[in-house]
Amino acid sequence: DTPAREALRWFVLASRPTGAATRPPNKSTAAVPVAPKEAAKRDEGAASPGPTGGAAAAMEPRMGAGTAGSADPARYQTRTPPPAAMDLGGANWERDLISAIRRKGFLWRTEQTYRAWAAKFNRHLKPRSPYAADGADVAAFLSKLAVEHRASVSTQKQALNALVFLMQEALHRSLGEFEFHRARSRRRVPTVLSRAECDALFAQLSGTSRLMAELMYGAGLRLMELLRMRIHHLDLARGQVKVYGGKGDKDRLTVLPDSLRPKLQAHIERLRVLFQADRVAKLPGVWLPEGLDRKYRKAGETWEWQWLFPSRELALDPATKILRRHHVLDGTFQNAVRRAAQTAGLTKRVTPHVLRHSFATHLLESGTDIRTVQDLLGHESVETTQIYTHVMQKPGLGVRSPLDG
């Protein structure tokens, strides 16, 4: 994560004497100018900070065009450090962990997750220190998660990765081989709405909320993929939705419903009015992935980078303290969908992600090849997509219940 690397760089350079010589960049690793479209594809996957986040969304200090990758020690000594540079941890073990994470260039959300698990492990060890821990302590903590807290497989695996990194990379402790009680794998069947239920749900939504729900269902998008869409992600002429930096930092194309083209076109025209008003008011540009924000300072003020579903109110960026327009918050849309489901009298537990499940199931029921559905959903393995074959309207080979004769 660039903010993390920037924080570590500032910390190191600030400790050097003024005028200390710096090693020139290696020609093989020096920054190479990237065209805006290529940079967009590469940087689009970065998670936007959100107006309610903390220093986790810290942006690195802007550098002049053409100087990406270079650093002047005196410059960093005389300017205020970025928010990430000021968060270096408290206890010695936490400072070592943060230093190791930022040397590796991990994403900020990964840093926050690893730090949270390390803090829980520290409380588990008290009064001992993590420096005195070994493989048996890690195994006991992981077993406790599975047995006492009944953690899921993914939660336990996340804790394992965090603690192994803490012990081996940050504290330089050898764990060796250790055994622990593994969480039980549970097979979950996704909740799926029928086509009639989808129509009933949409009927209880209006305006932008309905358009968002219909697009999420019609294109099979994940929630954050929907919220982080920009104007240039829609290709109305070709009937495509471009998803940049989806799960696993993968890009993909998915289908744009023909029935939504007029609605989206009208929505975009309304956004032009809002965009022009923001420019007249000289508001700062929208948030951009740190790489683009550093190289193309004014890109956030251009039309193609505006949010497709912007928030009605301005929000204070917690990292930069800049008042700017963010995208619709996930909680806002989630609450709208839940209220619509209750009003429609649906008896299922409906969340926005249920619309994605319904998209996949309805495609399979209509005879779409499972490999095609896999590509549209962005699944790594076809086995993930196969879960929807268990909730199709006619599972198996069209088996009839004996009660039906």
Side-chain angles (χ1 to χ4, degrees):
D1 184 19
T2 304
R5 289 198 298 271
E6 186 66 24
L8 181 62
R9 183 186 297 118
W10 179 89
F11 180 74
V12 173
L13 294 178
S15 64
R16 293 181 180 176
T18 304
T22 57
R23 184 175 63 182
N26 190 316
K27 292 183 179 180
S28 62
T29 59
V32 179
V34 181
K37 289 185 179 180
E38 296 175 355
K41 181 177 180 181
R42 185 190 65 190
D43 295 330
E44 181 65 13
S48 56
T52 57
M59 310 274 271
E60 64 178 287
R62 295 175 182 238
M63 292 185 278
T67 62
S70 60
D72 179 7
R75 179 181 183 182
Y76 283 90
Q77 289 172 339
T78 56
R79 68 181 296 156
T80 302
M86 297 183 289
D87 183 14
L88 298 176
N92 289 337
W93 60 265
E94 187 179 20
R95 298 176 71 89
D96 288 342
L97 174 62
I98 294 173
S99 178
I101 289 174
R102 296 180 183 177
R103 282 199 306 270
K104 295 287 186 179
F106 286 174
L107 293 174
W108 185 269
R109 285 191 174 185
T110 303
E111 176 177 326
Q112 295 297 90
T113 300
Y114 279 22
R115 289 173 66 176
W117 281 117
K120 292 178 181 178
F121 183 59
N122 178 60
R123 291 194 295 270
H124 170 77
L125 290 173
K126 282 186 176 181
R128 298 165 57 213
S129 165
Y131 289 103
D134 55 20
D137 294 309
V138 174
F141 178 79
L142 296 174
S143 297
K144 182 178 179 180
L145 286 179
V147 177
E148 297 184 18
H149 299 286
R150 302 184 63 81
S152 66
V153 174
S154 59
T155 299
Q156 190 184 48
K157 186 180 297 184
Q158 185 184 76
L160 172 63
N161 293 337
L163 297 186
V164 168
F165 184 89
L166 166 70
M167 299 300 294
Q168 296 187 166
E169 299 292 337
L171 307 185
H172 306 291
R173 300 277 298 174
S174 177
L175 293 177
E177 294 187 4
F178 56 91
E179 295 291 333
F180 58 92
H181 185 93
R182 296 186 179 273
R184 188 180 63 170
S185 179
R186 300 176 180 87
R187 186 174 182 177
R188 302 298 187 191
V189 175
T191 300
V192 174
L193 301 180
S194 67
R195 296 176 187 270
E197 288 173 329
C198 287
D199 292 339
L201 176 69
F202 298 149
Q204 299 303 321
L205 293 167
S206 61
T208 303
S209 297
R210 175 165 182 165
L211 181 60
M212 293 172 67
E214 290 178 334
L215 181 59
M216 188 172 184
Y217 166 70
L221 300 174
R222 297 180 177 93
L223 175 59
M224 295 312 298
E225 292 172 349
L226 173 75
L227 299 182
R228 291 175 182 157
M229 289 192 66
R230 314 269 183 164
I231 295 296
H232 73 269
H233 292 181
L234 286 183
D235 191 337
L236 297 179
R238 297 174 62 87
Q240 295 177 337
V241 176
K242 304 171 185 176
V243 178
Y244 291 107
K247 189 173 182 179
D249 197 25
K250 293 179 295 185
D251 302 344
R252 75 178 190 278
L253 294 176
T254 184
V255 61
L256 176 65
D258 290 335
S259 60
L260 290 186
R261 291 193 196 187
K263 296 181 181 180
L264 287 170
Q265 187 63 56
H267 175 72
I268 289 174
E269 291 305 317
R270 291 193 297 271
L271 292 184
R272 282 190 181 274
V273 178
L274 179 64
F275 171 69
Q276 294 296 340
D278 287 350
R279 299 285 68 77
V280 171
K282 299 186 184 302
L283 292 180
V286 297
W287 181 90
L288 291 177
E290 58 275 358
L292 282 175
D293 185 59
R294 183 178 66 248
K295 296 175 184 176
Y296 310 106
R297 298 186 179 185
K298 296 296 183 179
E301 300 177 13
T302 60
W303 167 243
E304 64 270 17
W305 279 103
Q306 301 306 301
W307 301 111
L308 184 61
F309 299 111
S311 176
R312 186 175 304 172
E313 304 294 335
L314 301 181
L316 188 66
D317 189 322
T320 61
K321 305 305 179 185
I322 295 176
L323 190 67
R324 54 164 41 120
R325 195 172 300 281
H326 201 61
H327 60 64
V328 173
L329 298 182
D330 52 352
T332 302
F333 181 58
Q334 288 171 334
N335 291 335
V337 171
R338 291 192 186 101
R339 288 194 299 267
Q342 293 173 356
T343 306
L346 301 183
T347 57
K348 299 174 182 177
R349 180 177 177 270
V350 180
T351 66
H353 202 73
V354 168
L355 297 174
R356 176 174 159 91
H357 292 324
S358 303
F359 165 84
T361 306
H362 295 169
L363 283 181
L364 291 173
E365 288 176 346
S366 64
T368 306
D369 179 74
I370 193 170
R371 292 286 185 180
T372 301
V373 178
Q374 176 190 356
D375 291 339
L376 293 176
L377 292 174
H379 286 162
E380 180 73 24
S381 171
V382 72
E383 293 181 358
T384 307
T385 315
Q386 286 176 340
I387 187 66
Y388 297 110
T389 62
H390 301 290
V391 289
M392 292 171 59
Q393 193 171 15
K394 290 292 184 181
L397 300 176
V399 176
R400 288 176 57 86
S401 169
L403 184 62
D404 296 332

